Amino acid sequence: MSSQPPQNDLPPEVQDDAIIGKAFKGSAFVLAGIIVIALGIYAWKNRTPENPEEKVTEISVPEVQDRQPASVPMVSFSNITEEAGIGFRHINGAYGDKLLPETMGGGVAFLDYNQDGAQDLFFVNSRYWEGHVPEGQSQPTHALYENDGTGHFKNVTEAAGLNIVDYGMGVAVGDFDNDGWPDLFISTVFHNRLLRNKGDGTFEDVTQKAGLQGDETTWSTCAAWFDLDNDGDLDLYVGNYVKWSPEIDFEQGATLTGLGRAYGQPMNFQGAFPYLYRNEGNGTFTDISETAGVQIKNTATQVAVAKSLGVAPVDLDFDGWIDLVVANDTVQNFVFQNQKDGTFKEIGSMSGIAFDSYGKARGAMGIDTARFREDDAMGIGIANFANEMTALYVGKADNLIFTDEAVPAGIGPASRLALKFGLFFFDYDLDGWQDMLTANGHLEEDIQQIQESQHYEQAAHLFWNAGPEHGCRFLEVSKAKAGSDFFSPIVGRGSAFADIDGDGDLDVLMAQVNAPPKLLRNDHQLGHRWIRLNLVGKKNNRDAIGAWVHGRVSGHDLWRQVMPTRSYLSQSEKTITLGLGTNGELESLEVIWPGGVHQKIGSLEVNKLHVIEEKL
């Protein structure tokens, strides 16, 4: 601090003199500075130029691997619905009151119901509401079509005893009694069904005996057979959507601006707990939903959180026990980690799958899983609502931490606009790498009148996996590469795949709401080789559901899980297809059975279906 007295303590005249003196000194310093700067500028302008030796520094260019750009192959799909003999039409019973179940169905399933080696087709139907059956019409039923092995079908619904009337939603295929014949579980609005395959071409309703009818006030949607306790028989998970009745629906008062009543938004309905049934091995099931830890409650209100539309049974941590990933509509997705004692721990938020990258819940519909890269990462695809990208969560078994890689993987922006329902992974070009399909369609017939970018009928999306040489990035497939039939707009809902004609490539079925389905034959002509596998469990469940096939093909690892439950309310064939490409060689093959037992498989003939039985 200064030892002089403060300026304000001096007499006024002294203060003035001091100020003038400071100002003068300051001006002198400024003037001297200006002179120095001027002299410096003069010297710089009149300097003698120098010519130093020029030095060039080399810039090393990073070495770039010489790669050809990925090119989507030409694989056409043909709409053969009528040609194949499929005359089914989904009926939703809509009469103008816009009841929510009308726009949410329905599912389809490929299964070999008569065990003749050909994939048959089962369609879930809904019905007309009571008091609103059109004049001259009768109530529609579910439908079963038998495949003759060449991709031509015959309606055998009545002969099979499946001309049953339900307000149906989804289907799950599984041999629950291990007798060698696939059985059917049908989820519905208010009353579920279990139909046992008798092995003589007919089915019998054993719902009441089995105890699987559910609560008569509950709307069931997705369903999956899997062995939760590795005891050798199939247990059953059934997702429920929302607490619903016509009266509750009318109370919502949902409308579209200028267009009147609309289908209600799920956030306006209360959630519903799922069912989890343990198979007792004697034709009956025990509901263990409450004790198994799958009933997630809102911590504030203690009501059910779930509004489930899709479920994917998969061994996420690769410990030999099946876990469950559940797609919920407008609320968080669930991940139920199997605790190996008949219970599950919900880890959706911890794993990163519960929400999007911004911590928000999306309108999730269909779901599937695949190890679509050659590393040990698992991919989980979830079809989301319009203006929400399809999710592609990718993570590894060692930490179960997943990140949504839809954008860097090439799926995100291309998928955003559409309203996605059915989603599954499949290798449509048989190059060994699993591609992705989504079946799309809006909820509202008049949506374009208020949203110009949206349409009721929408084209499907097909994404081709470019393989490890291109980081297993997905490229959107165009009409020029797959044919116009594939992309003709529909009101898409359920979807499934199977080889319907025995040529090794995978054909596609997409269901519509209140319209006929679309059966697409894969006209693959790339010359790619393949191997198909039917696994038969002995100690494990006979369907081998949950088993993994690990193939080493030309230096790459290919993984496939036996899991018919895929997509939205639907089931694909349980046969495994390994595409080998043009020159691919199968170097090794093993089956990893539920529980973790590895079984080595010897050399197999290509372009052929093989049956692999579990060794005891």
Side-chain angles (χ1 to χ4, degrees):
M1 294 179 67
S2 173
S3 59
Q4 296 181 352
Q7 181 85 11
N8 290 338
D9 292 340
L10 299 174
E13 63 272 20
V14 177
Q15 290 187 38
D16 292 342
D17 290 341
I19 292 171
I20 292 170
K22 287 183 178 180
F24 179 81
K25 290 178 182 178
S27 298
F29 284 126
V30 171
L31 181 59
I34 291 173
I35 293 171
V36 171
I37 292 172
L39 291 172
I41 292 173
Y42 176 83
W44 179 78
K45 285 185 175 182
N46 292 277
R47 73 193 187 283
T48 301
E50 297 180 0
N51 294 305
E53 182 181 350
E54 185 175 349
K55 294 182 180 180
V56 178
T57 303
E58 288 189 13
I59 299 175
S60 60
V61 179
E63 188 175 327
V64 179
Q65 185 176 355
D66 184 17
R67 277 184 182 173
Q68 293 295 323
S71 178
V72 176
M74 177 67 187
V75 179
S76 291
F77 288 82
S78 300
N79 186 345
I80 61 166
T81 311
E82 293 185 11
E83 174 189 334
I86 303 297
F88 175 80
R89 180 185 180 91
H90 179 263
I91 300 296
N92 66 355
Y95 61 90
D97 275 349
K98 296 289 186 78
L99 300 176
L100 188 54
E102 295 168 0
T103 196
M104 300 304 292
V108 297
F110 281 109
L111 74 159
D112 185 4
Y113 90 99
N114 55 3
Q115 295 296 279
D116 66 352
Q119 291 296 316
D120 310 303
L121 263 172
F122 180 79
F123 295 93
V124 178
N125 215 339
S126 299
R127 56 170 292 172
Y128 297 110
W129 299 105
E130 293 297 335
H132 295 279
V133 180
E135 186 176 351
Q137 298 292 321
S138 58
Q139 288 286 13
T141 72
H142 308 303
L144 178 66
Y145 284 81
E146 180 182 332
N147 187 349
D148 68 359
T150 68
H152 292 86
F153 294 82
K154 179 176 69 174
N155 191 333
V156 295
T157 306
E158 188 170 354
L162 294 175
N163 51 336
I164 299 168
V165 178
D166 285 312
Y167 206 101
M169 284 284 130
V171 57
V173 178
D175 182 5
F176 78 88
D177 52 4
N178 282 331
D179 65 354
W181 301 93
D183 310 301
L184 295 170
F185 176 84
I186 303 173
S187 63
T188 76
V189 178
F190 297 160
H191 181 81
N192 299 324
R193 289 188 189 275
L194 178 62
L195 300 167
R196 178 180 172 271
N197 189 332
K198 296 168 65 177
D200 59 1
T202 67
F203 291 77
E204 63 174 331
D205 191 332
V206 294
T207 311
Q208 296 294 330
K209 176 185 175 182
L212 296 182
Q213 65 271 23
D215 189 317
E216 293 187 357
T217 64
T218 300
W219 174 359
S220 295
T221 50
C222 55
W225 294 103
F226 74 111
D227 189 355
L228 73 88
D229 46 12
N230 285 344
D231 66 350
D233 53 31
L234 292 174
D235 310 294
L236 182 66
Y237 177 92
V238 182
N240 294 316
Y241 190 31
V242 293
K243 185 176 181 181
W244 183 88
S245 69
E247 294 73 24
I248 294 173
D249 205 325
F250 287 128
E251 289 174 2
Q252 306 307 315
T255 59
L256 285 177
T257 305
L259 297 178
R261 181 162 168 80
Y263 291 113
Q265 298 179 334
M267 65 275 294
N268 296 329
F269 295 85
Q270 183 176 308
F273 291 127
Y275 301 131
L276 182 60
Y277 297 103
R278 184 181 63 223
N279 190 337
E280 300 299 345
N282 58 3
T284 68
F285 293 77
T286 301
D287 186 344
I288 61 171
S289 312
E290 187 172 358
T291 58
V294 297
Q295 292 188 350
I296 307 303
K297 299 179 181 179
N298 184 301
T299 55
T301 63
Q302 295 300 299
V303 302
V305 172
K307 297 179 182 181
S308 303
L309 290 175
V311 58
V314 59
D315 183 3
L316 286 177
D317 47 13
F318 223 59
D319 63 353
W321 297 75
I322 293 288
D323 312 298
L324 298 170
V325 185
V326 180
N328 287 316
D329 191 3
T330 71
V331 297
Q332 67 201 64
N333 301 317
F334 296 148
V335 177
F336 292 115
Q337 185 181 28
N338 196 323
Q339 302 298 290
K340 309 177 187 179
D341 59 1
T343 69
F344 293 80
K345 179 181 179 182
E346 205 289 299
I347 60 169
S349 295
M350 294 171 55
S351 68
I353 298 171
F355 303 100
D356 69 9
S357 300
Y358 300 96
K360 295 181 180 179
R362 292 185 276 200
M365 315 290 183
I367 184 172
D368 195 13
T369 64
R371 295 176 71 166
F372 66 93
R373 305 193 306 219
E374 65 175 328
D375 58 18
D376 58 354
M378 176 69 69
I380 301 172
I382 300 180
N384 290 316
F385 200 75
N387 296 312
E388 297 175 342
M389 294 184 293
T390 294
L392 181 60
Y393 296 102
V394 181
K396 296 189 176 183
D398 56 356
N399 60 14
L400 294 183
I401 301 299
F402 288 76
T403 303
D404 190 350
E405 297 186 8
V407 173
I411 289 172
S415 68
R416 184 188 61 81
L417 190 61
L419 201 168
K420 290 76 64 181
F421 275 89
L423 177 153
F424 56 72
F425 294 94
F426 74 136
D427 180 8
Y428 79 89
D429 64 331
L430 298 178
D431 66 349
W433 306 105
Q434 295 184 84
D435 315 298
M436 180 192 285
L437 173 148
T438 64
N440 310 323
H442 213 281
L443 305 179
E444 295 285 350
E445 293 183 58
D446 301 319
I447 189 63
Q448 194 179 19
Q449 295 186 38
I450 60 170
Q451 295 183 33
E452 292 185 3
S453 64
Q454 290 295 328
H455 298 267
Y456 185 47
E457 296 180 328
Q458 300 183 2
H461 283 153
L462 181 61
F463 295 96
W464 176 69
N465 186 335
E469 293 183 357
H470 302 279
C472 286
R473 179 178 171 82
F474 290 89
L475 301 181
E476 186 176 10
V477 182
S478 66
K479 289 182 181 179
K481 294 295 187 178
S484 58
D485 284 357
F486 192 98
F487 300 102
S488 59
I490 62 172
V491 190
R493 294 296 184 263
S495 60
F497 65 84
D499 177 10
I500 63 172
D501 46 13
D503 62 357
D505 56 34
L506 299 176
D507 310 293
V508 170
L509 183 77
M510 288 185 277
Q512 296 195 73
V513 64
N514 210 39
K518 184 160 70 170
L519 179 61
L520 294 161
R521 184 186 62 217
N522 186 330
D523 295 327
H524 178 280
Q525 295 181 356
L526 298 174
H528 289 174
R529 303 187 302 169
W530 47 271
I531 288 175
R532 283 170 54 81
L533 305 171
N534 271 338
L535 272 56
V536 179
K538 296 295 185 180
K539 176 179 179 293
N540 282 283
N541 70 89
R542 187 179 178 87
D543 282 340
I545 288 176
W548 284 94
V549 171
H550 175 208
R552 185 76 177 169
V553 178
S554 299
H556 298 294
D557 291 300
L558 303 185
W559 293 86
R560 300 290 186 272
Q561 184 187 28
V562 179
M563 184 52 64
T565 300
R566 301 176 185 274
S567 184
Y568 175 74
L569 308 179
S570 299
Q571 305 273 291
S572 291
E573 66 174 359
K574 70 181 185 68
T575 304
I576 293 295
T577 298
L578 286 178
L580 304 178
T582 306
N583 300 308
E585 295 293 336
L586 184 62
E587 298 166 3
S588 65
L589 187 70
E590 66 175 351
V591 176
I592 305 170
W593 297 94
V597 175
H598 292 235
Q599 180 178 337
K600 301 289 184 180
I601 308 299
S603 61
L604 298 174
E605 185 179 348
V606 301
N607 295 345
K608 188 175 179 180
L609 172 68
H610 301 268
V611 177
I612 306 296
E613 293 189 349
E614 181 182 14
K615 288 185 177 179
L616 296 176

